Amino acid sequence: MAQRLLLRRFLTSVISRKPPQGVWASVTSRTLQTPLYNASGLTGMPNPVRTVHTTRVCSTTFNVQDGPDFQDRVVNSETPVVVDFHAQWCGPCKILGPRLEKMVAKQHGKVVMAKVDIDDHTDLAIEYEVSAVPTVLAIKNGDVVDKFVGIKDEDQLEAFLKKLIG
């Protein structure tokens, strides 16, 4: 109860305060400036302590849309591809997926990851003999060079990717 009262008082005091005009400096394209705080409230001097840099995002993971998309982006890829056959209802898939994405991202574009939902793309699951999920294939130059089924820890995933990259 006392904590709620303190929180309510704090929020009321913060919300009721209005900063004086001219406090906020204009934001440049690459830098965000934050105002200085003191005991009486906001001051008029911006502080360029916090900097935000913008960079181009390079995606290493994609969802397969259909058979021709799989053919184009996976089988015909010059870059080695890790294919994650998963399902929305699969608990182990929810653990392995992010772990695998993180490990692929660490390879800095030497390998990409394709995600295939077996419920949406049953034909691909049958073609690649996926009988359980999660199933992960390593495809290089259009050929399956390695495969595993189930969850792996980060060390095993790293060894799997190193083997694929060569």
Side-chain angles (χ1 to χ4, degrees):
M1 188 71 172
Q3 290 174 341
R4 276 191 196 167
L5 183 60
L6 287 173
L7 181 61
R8 185 176 295 156
R9 284 182 184 168
F10 172 75
L11 290 175
T12 304
S13 70
V14 169
I15 292 171
S16 65
R17 262 190 235 156
K18 291 186 179 180
Q21 294 293 347
V23 169
W24 301 98
S26 62
V27 177
T28 62
S29 64
R30 291 197 171 259
T31 305
L32 292 177
Q33 296 176 335
T34 58
L36 288 173
Y37 291 89
N38 64 18
S40 65
L42 295 174
T43 65
M45 299 295 294
N47 181 6
V49 171
R50 295 184 185 173
T51 304
V52 176
H53 296 281
T54 57
T55 58
R56 190 174 60 138
V57 175
C58 180
S59 179
T60 56
T61 303
F62 59 91
N63 290 315
V64 172
Q65 304 302 317
D66 54 23
D69 184 44
F70 184 86
Q71 184 72 28
D72 183 49
R73 297 172 80 179
V74 176
V75 177
N76 296 335
S77 175
E78 294 179 7
T79 306
V81 182
V82 173
V83 184
D84 177 19
F85 285 92
H86 68 282
Q88 293 294 324
W89 46 263
C90 169
C93 299
K94 293 176 183 177
I95 296 169
L96 180 67
R99 188 180 291 174
L100 191 55
E101 285 180 36
K102 182 175 131 186
M103 298 303 291
V104 167
K106 284 183 180 179
Q107 302 304 317
H108 305 292
K110 295 178 188 173
V111 64
V112 295
M113 180 175 163
K115 298 182 80 165
V116 179
D117 189 322
I118 62 163
D119 292 328
D120 295 337
H121 306 293
T122 311
D123 53 334
L124 289 172
I126 292 169
E127 182 180 344
Y128 285 91
E129 301 174 357
V130 175
S131 58
V133 287
T135 295
V136 178
L137 305 179
I139 297 181
K140 192 172 190 175
N141 300 322
D143 297 323
V144 177
V145 294
D146 204 357
K147 172 181 179 176
F148 71 82
V149 178
I151 286 189
K152 302 286 182 191
D153 64 26
E154 288 189 8
D155 294 337
Q156 293 169 317
L157 292 176
E158 189 171 346
F160 178 80
L161 293 174
K162 294 292 183 196
K163 183 177 174 186
L164 174 61
I165 295 169

